[in-house]
Every structure is written in structure tokens, then in C-alpha cells.
Amino acid sequence: MVSRRAFLRAAYSSGLASVFTVLQAVPVSVPVNREVYLIAGQSNAQGRGFLSELPYLFPHDRVVMYRAGTWIPASEPTYDGPLTDVGVGPGLAFGTTLAQLRKNVSVGLVNGAYGGTSLADWARSSDPTSLYGALIQRALVAAKWGSIKGLVFDQGESNAMTTYAVANGWDVGFPQLVADIRSDLGLPNLPVVFAIKRNNPNLSAFPYWDTM
């Protein structure tokens, strides 16, 4: 059973952000040896870091990732899709930290993030070609490998670029997205970690950053 403390520690160690918020992080009571963690959001979650700067500690023999319909040893990039312009993200560090903390657990990563997407692009949909539909489809397949234990979500820059209304709507839209994912996966207490963005280095490009 993944503890709230271990989940937060892994999220912090992954470099997602300096502050994290957990929505109703209640662990499932049935212990399992395989745990699945979903990753969603935009470019930072998909992976944009330099592969040349990846620490030597990767890969970990108890961390796998879902790619093209199968499980393979986890490596960067963890993104399940075309690997053009994709690099290091937070997922592998997150999974590796969990595996290091809990010696009897194998961790499966399912990364369905996509760069440049707004929160609206993640709206609930039954279309398997949509971002939301594809994430749910991957998750349901992954659940045959292990128990889904959490979601890591890193998104917000796209919403800070357009209008105040779009940025301000994140406070309502994101909890709704979490509720939809929990409902469609049948996991009402699924732990969720999302990143709180650091100070905006470029107000001209992201005028509504502070609203986010």
C-alpha cells in the first residue's frame, strides 16, 4: 500500500515543482506488488529536459513503462508516443524514488502527456483518439498489469498565455478533470499530485501566470 508520505516524497524528488497539492490522497487498502502511476499534462510532464544530463541512477530494475501497447524497462523519455523533440520528464525520477522507498513493489509508468495542450484539451471524452480518451484507455489496459495508485499532472503554461477567463477557469476545470478521471476509472479516492508553477520568468509570453 502506497503511503501518502511516500507518494509526496516521490513527487517532490521527481523535480515536478517546489510545492505540491494532493487532492484527497486516500490509499487503496488492498496491498499489491505492482502499482501503476499515470502521468498527464503538457510539455513538462511529457518531457523536455536534456537526455545528456540524466543522472546515472537510471534505469531501475523494478520500474517499467507502458509504450505502444506493451510494458518495457523504464527509460527516458517515458512518453508513450512519437519521440520527436521529447526528452527527460519527471516520471522516471518519480517511479524510481517510489521503488527505492518500497523494496517489494514494481512501479509501472503510463505517460500520456502532450506538449502545448491546455486544460480544455484534456476535457472528458470517450473518443480514444482524444487526450482524455487515450489516457483512460491506456489506464484500463495498464490495470491488468497492476493496481492504479495515482496520477501526476503537470500543466498550466498554455492556460496562462491567452485570456484571464481561460487562466481563471483552471480552478474549476482541474477539479472537474480529476473527478472525471476518478469516475471513469472507478477509483473515487485516486491520489492526485499536480505541480504549482514557480515564478513566471517571462510575463510578456505568459501574462496570466499569476492568475494560474
Side-chain angles (χ1 to χ4, degrees):
M1 178 174 66
V2 60
S3 70
R4 180 177 184 273
R5 183 176 181 180
F7 189 52
L8 278 173
R9 182 175 173 183
Y12 182 82
S13 298
S14 70
L16 273 169
S18 59
V19 182
F20 292 87
T21 300
V22 174
L23 302 182
Q24 215 171 343
V26 180
V28 177
S29 60
V30 179
V32 294
N33 292 325
R34 290 179 173 180
E35 298 180 353
V36 174
Y37 294 88
L38 311 176
I39 303 167
Q42 58 179 109
S43 58
N44 288 332
Q46 186 183 27
R48 287 294 188 272
F50 297 113
L51 290 169
S52 61
E53 297 179 3
L54 188 66
Y56 178 72
L57 62 94
F58 302 113
H60 193 288
D61 60 2
R62 284 185 287 107
V63 182
V64 297
M65 63 184 184
Y66 184 81
R67 177 172 290 163
T70 190
W71 292 100
I72 60 175
S75 62
E76 290 287 1
T78 62
Y79 171 59
D80 181 26
L83 300 182
T84 304
D85 297 326
V86 180
V88 178
L92 191 54
F94 173 81
T96 298
T97 302
L98 279 177
Q100 291 172 339
L101 289 172
R102 302 163 62 246
K103 306 300 183 184
N104 65 333
V105 169
S106 293
V107 176
L109 303 172
V110 180
N111 190 339
Y114 198 80
T117 55
S118 69
L119 190 64
D121 293 325
W122 286 91
R124 191 180 205 173
S125 173
S126 59
D127 182 354
T129 65
S130 69
L131 290 169
Y132 182 94
L135 181 69
I136 296 300
Q137 186 176 59
R138 287 187 183 101
L140 294 176
V141 173
K144 298 176 182 179
W145 180 87
S147 299
I148 299 174
K149 292 292 187 177
L151 166 67
V152 175
F153 193 88
D154 189 359
Q155 189 276 332
E157 291 182 355
S158 291
N159 283 64
M161 295 173 66
T162 53
T163 67
Y164 173 81
V166 170
N168 194 51
W170 208 91
D171 286 350
V172 174
F174 181 68
Q176 182 61 56
L177 173 63
V178 171
D180 291 341
I181 292 173
R182 287 173 168 169
S183 175
D184 288 341
L185 294 180
L187 299 171
N189 296 317
L190 181 71
V192 175
V193 166
F194 69 91
I196 296 176
K197 300 297 183 184
R198 63 182 179 180
N199 293 336
N200 180 15
N202 188 349
L203 281 173
S204 61
F206 304 101
Y208 301 100
W209 189 275
D210 291 339
T211 303
M212 290 295 302

